[in-house]
Amino acid sequence: MDQNPPRYPVTCEIDGKTRRGTYWIAGKILTVSTGMGGKSRQVGSTPTEILAQELLRELAKEGKA
């Protein structure tokens, strides 16, 4: 049986460019991944889609999205 959590697409626009990644939640940790890196954060009161977009923006600023 596959134990991997379901993955969801996430996008954000920065400087006119659309950045894309994938996110998933394992327990209380949300992880965003791109082809060049990833970031994780504990899920709190922020909606998961908004949190995923914030992490994707951070990755883009680091040149990883």
Side-chain angles (χ1 to χ4, degrees):
M1 189 162 140
D2 189 11
Q3 295 296 324
N4 291 331
R7 281 149 165 72
Y8 306 97
V10 60
T11 61
C12 69
E13 190 170 315
I14 299 174
D15 298 329
K17 290 185 175 183
T18 300
R19 310 297 178 147
R20 290 177 168 72
T22 303
Y23 77 93
W24 63 92
I25 300 171
K28 294 184 178 184
I29 303 296
L30 181 143
T31 301
V32 174
S33 178
T34 68
M36 297 180 280
K39 279 192 173 280
S40 297
R41 185 140 325 134
Q42 185 169 339
V43 175
S45 59
T46 304
T48 56
E49 178 72 22
I50 301 299
L51 181 57
Q53 288 175 343
E54 288 175 9
L55 292 176
L56 183 59
R57 280 189 193 92
E58 289 177 19
L59 285 165
K61 287 178 185 177
E62 296 170 4
K64 297 179 180 176

